[in-house]
Amino acid sequence: MKLNKKLITSAMIAAAAAFSISAQAEEVTKITGAGSSFAYPIISKWATAYNKEKGVEVNYQSVGSGAGIKQVIAKTVNFGASDAPLSVEDLEKNGLTQWPLIMGGIVVVANIPGNKQGEMTITGPVLADIMMGKITKWNDEALAKLNPSMKLPDMVITVVHRSDASGTTAIFTNYLAKVSPEWKEKVGEGTTVNWLSKGNLGGKGNEGVASYTDRIKGSIGYVEYAYALQNKLPYMDMMNSAGKRVAPTMKSFGAAASHADWKGTPGFRVVLTNQSGDDSWPITGSTFAIVHTNPEKPAEVKAVLDFFKWSMANGQAAAEELHYIPIPADVAQMIEASWAEKIKM
Amino acid sequence: MITLENGPAKLAKRAQNSGVLGDKVFRGTAFFFAAMVLAVLFGIMLLLLKEAWPTFAHFGFGFFYHSEWDVVNEKFGALVPIVGTLVTSLVAIVIGVPVSFGIAIFITLMAPNWMKRPVGIAIELLAAVPSIIYGMWGLFYFAPWFANTMQPLMTDTLGNVPLIGPFFQGPPIGVSIFTAGVVLAIMIIPFIASVMRDMFEVVPTELKESAYAMGSTTWEVVWKVILPYTKAGVIGGIMLGLGRALGETMAVAFVVGNSLELNTGLFYPGATIASTMANEFNEASGLHMSSLIALALILFIITFIVLSIAKWFLLRLEKVQEGSKT
């Protein structure tokens, strides 16, 4: 009898084990994500290619970073995407982990008669003064000193910003807050801020800002690099934190990413604005993917990790086509190591 | 024989019975649908109040008259969007009502017969154009043209008039409170004009012809016969247009400039309640979200007040008319 009982128990354990194995082997064919609109074009492009190759459907909603974080905490989606990294405390409190999934550059565009792409240059503090309405005319001394070879007109500056809450604004204002104490105190940083310049103007989406700056003489705005290229807007060069003049290129965005201290920052909490390095573009940002560390359905989180692993290995060309900067190989290794360490499978 | 005597009576009775039942069912269903309208209305009000409560608790009455809207530091005041909503609608009404009036009078009194139908149909078609199309037209065609031609002209002339001069100042960028008002005017003209036309058409021919027979000019017929006869309907049509102007979202968001700062000049960019909500809803949370919903509640109240005023007008008119009859 005793033997019999033992037999039954072990049979039951075996059955349970077999069952759990079969449950794990059950393939996840659909994963869901929500968040950043900055990363939406590249995630949806990857998703299409990934679906073709692996047959797994990635359903990503571009609802905004804040909403993405909320949804992943509420477990209504498998992963969230945010343009601003969460703090380490917030990650631990909600049982989450994050890593950068894509990077991109933001450029300053200005509509001054006769100004060509890359002809003008500007420093962070001067840019902040313009955005706050402290510098109101294009022939201001501060601008003239930076651009001695240019004939700047006696024209009122119209500040153009995003009217919708946006990760692009968050990255841009984060940079201004870093380089100008006054901006930090009076305006601060966020997806929507209080623009102090008189007569400031809000355009909906990158395309809204691009179309206003294209049309209104004397305007200045900020857009993702791809939009400035598409609309042939005259973007400016910038002085970076090393005091060097840099042009916005995929190379200078990449330089900012490579100078960042990914290893030494817990939770990959690196904000790429105002990075050191002679060739770094100062207004560079990244979007972070967020998942639960102790998921209820490990198979689904594993499918999410598989997707991002695939995107880091095979998605560079697609990213560069859309003028994003893919994650460098060494950072990708760190990210995969962090998954193994943090996420319980 | 029995069938002959009883059959029809029985049938009639059954028919009556089923009629009674059908009546009851119909009445119940109709009552249910009507009650649902009230339930939805109160449901929306309650929900808005509940969600907006944190804002009112935090800022108190100041929410209505503070002009600061600072998301980063969580300081919210609704003055700029409220003023923007009222001013854009006012501009729309000031421009839209006379134009609609002219259109309606022309169609009913002056247009040759072959023109009446095409113009009437064209107006109704304009009313069916989606608002985003007006918005894009406003942004890409009207705003640049206005900035380069009309606005400098208005600033140079009206801008120098004492008292109202400051209203006609602003940077020549074309997207502004005033532009939004003009686009709104174009959007509400079809509504107001078609209501007015329908009203003018029901004026009895005898009245008009008697007036003409006594030697009245068209002008006198319009002012002394048609307008007094149709006052209530005309006001109703204007209120319908005003209601649309107050709540319009997409077209306004395109041309109003989306700037939350308070300016006296109509040519400065501004914001309305609806455009602010459309712009900021996607990433709002906490007090910000609550403040946006408080804005929605305010818009609800403004529309309610507008409708009440219209109703009060109509009631007063009816009383006056009854009084004059007896």
Side-chain angles (χ1 to χ4, degrees):
Chain A
M1 276 329 243
K2 225 178 189 178
L3 192 104
N4 228 346
K5 223 178 193 174
K6 245 186 191 168
L7 237 163
I8 290 169
T9 338
S10 60
M12 268 168 73
I13 290 168
F19 182 75
S20 74
I21 284 168
S22 76
Q24 264 179 7
E26 195 181 308
E27 260 180 49
V28 177
T29 56
K30 197 174 165 188
I31 51 179
T32 54
S36 156
S37 49
F38 180 80
Y40 174 70
I42 184 61
I43 293 182
S44 65
K45 194 164 187 181
W46 283 340
T48 315
Y50 192 65
N51 192 10
K52 254 186 215 152
E53 220 178 293
K54 309 270 174 179
V56 177
E57 201 181 312
V58 181
N59 209 331
Y60 181 76
Q61 303 159 17
S62 158
V63 290
S65 299
I69 293 170
K70 262 187 252 165
Q71 290 201 26
V72 75
I73 289 175
K75 298 180 184 167
T76 50
V77 292
N78 299 128
F79 71 93
S82 168
D83 296 325
L86 290 173
S87 67
V88 176
E89 300 87 74
D90 277 345
L91 286 174
E92 276 169 7
K93 196 177 76 192
N94 294 299
L96 301 168
T97 184
Q98 69 187 1
W99 68 89
L101 72 96
I102 196 73
M103 297 176 276
I106 292 165
V107 298
V108 179
V109 293
N111 182 343
I112 313 165
N115 176 35
K116 293 183 202 75
Q117 270 187 352
E119 199 180 358
M120 259 186 100
T121 185
I122 197 166
T123 64
V126 171
L127 183 60
D129 283 352
I130 291 177
M131 292 289 162
M132 279 190 286
K134 271 179 78 188
I135 294 177
T136 57
K137 291 220 165 165
W138 281 112
N139 61 354
D140 191 278
E141 217 174 289
L143 281 162
K145 224 190 260 168
L146 282 165
N147 301 283
S149 62
M150 279 188 80
K151 245 190 94 182
L152 291 161
D154 177 20
M155 190 182 257
V156 173
I157 301 177
T158 300
V159 169
V160 182
H161 54 83
R162 289 284 290 269
S163 65
D164 49 334
S166 148
T168 311
T169 304
I171 294 165
F172 185 67
T173 52
N174 170 275
Y175 169 68
L176 294 180
K178 269 186 186 167
V179 294
S180 159
E182 198 181 344
W183 178 276
K184 191 173 181 179
E185 185 200 330
K186 284 190 179 164
V187 183
E189 52 180 296
T191 54
T192 317
V193 299
N194 194 14
W195 303 89
L196 297 171
S197 150
K198 192 163 176 62
N200 68 71
L201 193 62
K204 189 157 170 48
N206 275 296
E207 55 279 14
V209 174
S211 90
Y212 279 149
T213 34
D214 192 28
R215 226 193 52 227
I216 295 164
K217 293 210 166 59
S219 61
I220 185 168
Y222 57 95
V223 291
E224 280 166 37
Y225 182 55
Y227 285 87
L229 284 187
Q230 277 161 19
N231 294 287
K232 299 194 176 56
L233 296 175
Y235 48 71
M236 295 180 176
D237 286 356
M238 288 200 70
M239 296 297 198
N240 64 16
S241 67
K244 294 280 188 319
R245 178 173 176 161
V246 279
T249 57
M250 296 296 280
K251 228 181 108 200
S252 63
F253 302 153
S258 67
H259 284 111
D261 180 18
W262 296 101
K263 207 163 199 170
T265 318
F268 295 108
R269 238 188 137 267
V270 177
V271 177
L272 289 177
T273 54
N274 208 30
Q275 284 294 339
S276 59
D278 283 356
D279 47 356
S280 295
W281 179 252
I283 322 178
T284 310
S286 52
T287 301
F288 294 81
I290 304 163
V291 297
H292 280 278
T293 47
N294 200 358
E296 282 167 12
K297 291 177 184 156
E300 286 181 355
V301 168
K302 185 169 178 303
V304 170
L305 299 185
D306 284 344
F307 170 64
F308 282 112
K309 190 175 175 179
W310 174 90
S311 77
M312 286 191 286
N314 306 303
Q316 285 110 333
E320 274 163 15
E321 234 171 76
L322 294 176
H323 305 286
Y324 290 99
I325 311 134
I327 304 294
D330 55 330
V331 181
Q333 275 177 4
M334 280 185 242
I335 291 171
E336 282 174 39
S338 84
W339 291 345
E341 181 195 331
K342 287 196 174 127
I343 301 171
K344 290 188 193 109
M345 282 299 169
Chain B
M1 295 301 124
I2 292 165
T3 42
L4 252 179
E5 270 173 21
N6 289 346
K10 232 182 189 174
L11 270 178
K13 204 176 178 198
R14 196 193 291 159
Q16 217 178 6
N17 278 343
S18 74
V20 168
L21 184 70
D23 235 29
K24 268 188 185 159
V25 171
F26 181 70
R27 206 154 122 197
T29 324
F31 176 79
F32 174 71
F33 288 150
M36 221 157 69
V37 174
L38 283 180
V40 167
L41 186 72
F42 278 106
I44 291 175
M45 280 249 287
L46 279 181
L47 201 70
L48 285 178
L49 260 177
K50 180 183 157 255
E51 296 288 321
W53 193 250
T55 293
F56 292 126
H58 194 276
F59 299 105
F61 204 66
F63 184 73
F64 291 92
Y65 57 81
H66 280 153
S67 65
E68 203 179 12
W69 186 272
D70 188 340
V71 180
V72 179
N73 299 314
E74 298 215 306
K75 278 188 192 142
F76 299 104
L79 187 66
V80 176
I82 291 175
V83 169
T85 305
L86 294 178
V87 173
T88 49
S89 299
L90 185 73
V91 171
I93 289 293
V94 166
I95 298 172
V97 169
V99 175
S100 315
F101 185 71
I103 293 173
I105 288 290
F106 179 77
I107 295 178
T108 43
L109 289 187
M110 294 171 230
N113 268 330
W114 61 268
M115 242 183 110
K116 283 188 182 178
R117 268 182 71 84
V119 176
I121 291 171
I123 287 174
E124 269 151 29
L125 278 178
L126 276 179
V129 173
S131 59
I132 191 152
I133 292 178
Y134 285 107
M136 294 178 96
W137 169 80
L139 178 61
F140 291 116
Y141 294 96
F142 179 72
W145 174 80
F146 186 78
N148 293 330
T149 55
M150 286 303 286
Q151 194 182 327
L153 193 76
M154 289 172 83
T155 306
D156 287 345
T157 52
L158 291 170
N160 297 326
V161 178
L163 281 179
I164 62 162
F167 293 129
F168 295 95
Q169 305 293 346
I173 49 183
V175 279
S176 63
I177 290 274
F178 190 83
T179 312
V182 173
V183 171
L184 280 176
I186 295 168
M187 291 176 70
I188 63 173
I189 282 172
F191 284 87
I192 303 181
S194 61
V195 172
M196 282 185 177
R197 185 200 56 179
D198 291 347
M199 284 294 132
F200 295 166
E201 267 171 359
V202 298
V203 176
T205 326
E206 296 92 322
L207 282 183
K208 282 188 274 183
E209 285 180 353
S210 326
Y212 281 124
M214 289 168 77
S216 302
T217 58
T218 311
W219 178 254
E220 283 166 336
V221 172
V222 169
W223 280 106
K224 302 212 165 128
V225 178
I226 296 183
L227 259 189
Y229 192 85
T230 55
K231 248 185 215 160
V234 168
I235 290 177
I238 293 172
M239 289 299 155
L240 186 73
L242 184 57
R244 180 162 197 211
L246 286 170
E248 177 51 46
T249 309
M250 234 26 240
V252 171
F254 267 80
V255 293
V256 77
N258 302 310
S259 165
L260 284 154
E261 63 169 343
L262 200 60
N263 286 305
T264 40
L266 290 173
F267 296 146
Y268 276 100
T272 69
I273 292 180
S275 75
T276 308
M277 287 195 293
N279 277 319
E280 298 189 1
F281 226 78
N282 58 343
E283 295 239 353
S285 60
L287 200 57
H288 185 199
M289 180 61 108
S290 170
S291 299
L292 287 174
I293 292 172
L295 279 184
L297 186 67
I298 292 173
L299 183 60
F300 199 90
I301 295 168
I302 292 176
T303 326
F304 187 77
I305 292 174
V306 165
L307 282 177
S308 308
I309 293 175
K311 263 274 179 273
W312 179 76
F313 251 108
L314 296 182
L315 279 178
R316 223 184 53 154
L317 271 173
E318 274 167 19
K319 264 186 200 157
V320 169
Q321 273 168 0
E322 272 168 23
S324 68
K325 267 177 207 159
T326 49

